[in-house]
Amino acid sequence: MVSGTTRMPRPQLDRIRDGCTKILAGERDLKHAQSLLGIITWAPQCMPAISPFISRLWRVTTTAQQLHKQKITTPQGVIDDMRWWLSALHAGLGSDGRAIIPTQRLVSHTAEADAGTEWGIGGLDNARYYNAPLPASVRRRAIKNKRESSTFLELYNLLVMARVMGPGWTGHHVRVHVDNSALPRYARKGRGSNETESDMIREILLLQVRHSWSWELQWVPRELNEAADALSKQDMERFHKWAPTHRTGIQPTPSQLELPSGRYHMTPQEVERAVCGSGIE
């Protein structure tokens, strides 16, 4: 501990660099992947923002264990993450430490979000709102797996919210009310229950870094999320009843309603900002 901060020890940083380099060079041994995963799973204790860049290695390692395989698979997403880690280390990951004295960010905006198969998605903050019907591809995905459709749709809506409203939140910390209890847990873990959900969380992080804002998800009962619920059902009369203050409507573009591609690239400057934090307090 130095000056009230906790740092990643230099040997740990070197082991992460060596582990990522070996996987990029073709190393597929399960024990090697487990060892690397053990180290980088610890890393978010120093830098919470990097947790989404662990999910793919965690998934292929867990799959290999479950199938009793001695080798892991390395899809392009895993390769991209290994390159991200090397870029982050080059940018100074963990070198400056992280404050361990408890602090609390000042919430400057509040927002609400909701989604459902009945019509679509919706969200609002202090000054704006949006809603849109579900795209056919999203509806098909939700119908295909009804057991997980609620969480999938709610997380998809948060991605749309980040795309639509994020640029207007620059410099702010936002508290978002959601009525799905799984979402705050997913946000803390940095991954969802499948690859698509993890890709959504990953893109949200990238948008936060790119536009310099942050958020926290807070579960509320559905009856306290009436305005967003009304937007998700295109019930504008009920929306204006529960959100009487004037808000500007925003129409999401087709690209903002697409499912995530799973391929994201950070510039060196964005990597450095993700590593060091946005500076929002």
Side-chain angles (χ1 to χ4, degrees):
M1 186 175 73
V2 180
S3 302
T5 65
T6 180
R7 294 184 178 183
M8 294 178 64
R10 174 57 56 184
Q12 296 288 67
L13 297 176
D14 292 340
R15 289 177 65 190
I16 293 173
R17 183 182 293 106
D18 180 64
C20 294
T21 301
K22 286 183 177 179
I23 288 180
L24 289 174
E27 177 63 72
R28 301 293 182 266
D29 184 69
L30 174 60
K31 290 184 178 180
H32 173 78
Q34 290 172 323
S35 177
L36 176 59
L37 183 64
I39 303 170
I40 62 176
T41 299
W42 174 82
Q45 297 180 39
C46 293
M47 298 287 166
I50 64 180
S51 56
F53 296 93
I54 298 172
S55 62
R56 287 165 169 163
L57 182 62
W58 175 85
R59 196 169 301 281
V60 297
T61 302
T62 301
T63 299
Q65 290 176 294
Q66 292 173 341
L67 297 177
H68 304 290
K69 302 288 187 181
Q70 298 305 311
K71 301 289 184 180
I72 63 167
T73 59
T74 51
Q76 187 61 47
V78 172
I79 299 301
D80 289 344
D81 285 353
M82 297 300 97
R83 289 173 178 157
W84 184 91
W85 276 93
L86 292 179
S87 297
L89 290 169
H90 181 72
L93 171 66
S95 60
D96 293 330
R98 173 173 178 257
I100 60 174
I101 299 174
T103 59
Q104 184 171 357
R105 289 179 170 178
L106 176 65
V107 176
S108 54
H109 280 37
T110 57
E112 301 174 24
D114 202 8
T117 55
E118 183 175 328
W119 185 75
I121 58 175
L124 65 149
D125 66 5
N126 303 37
R128 302 165 298 163
Y129 74 88
Y130 71 90
N131 67 340
L134 288 179
S137 59
V138 177
R139 185 177 295 278
R140 284 195 300 269
R141 175 66 182 266
I143 293 174
K144 184 177 180 180
N145 192 346
K146 291 184 178 181
R147 187 174 64 85
E148 299 178 352
S149 64
S150 175
T151 300
F152 167 77
L153 288 176
E154 298 277 8
L155 189 54
Y156 164 74
N157 186 33
L158 288 177
L159 173 60
V160 174
M161 173 176 273
R163 290 168 172 171
V164 172
M165 293 186 156
W169 287 338
T170 298
H172 292 281
H173 181 64
V174 184
R175 176 174 293 146
V176 182
H177 293 163
V178 295
D179 57 19
N180 185 301
S181 60
L183 297 181
R185 183 174 69 253
Y186 282 10
R188 288 191 299 269
K189 291 169 57 177
R191 65 176 185 268
S193 63
N194 55 61
E195 193 65 28
T196 301
E197 291 179 352
S198 295
D199 284 342
M200 293 181 194
I201 296 171
R202 186 186 306 265
E203 184 177 339
I204 289 170
L205 170 64
L206 176 57
L207 292 169
Q208 290 177 324
V209 171
R210 186 159 290 166
H211 298 293
S212 300
W213 56 272
S214 61
W215 71 14
E216 61 188 65
L217 305 184
Q218 183 179 68
W219 177 83
V220 296
R222 195 204 66 78
E223 55 268 23
L224 297 182
N225 207 34
E226 286 284 355
D229 181 72
L231 285 172
S232 73
K233 294 178 171 61
Q234 185 66 343
D235 187 345
M236 301 310 293
E237 181 178 352
R238 183 159 63 98
F239 165 67
H240 290 298
K241 174 185 176 181
W242 286 95
T245 305
H246 175 73
R247 288 173 169 81
T248 301
I250 305 173
Q251 180 62 49
T253 65
S255 63
Q256 290 173 328
L257 295 172
E258 292 178 353
L259 287 169
S261 66
R263 298 297 304 277
Y264 312 109
H265 301 282
M266 282 187 175
T267 66
Q269 293 78 14
E270 288 171 340
V271 171
E272 185 172 3
R273 286 168 63 190
V275 167
C276 300
S278 63
I280 300 169
E281 295 295 341

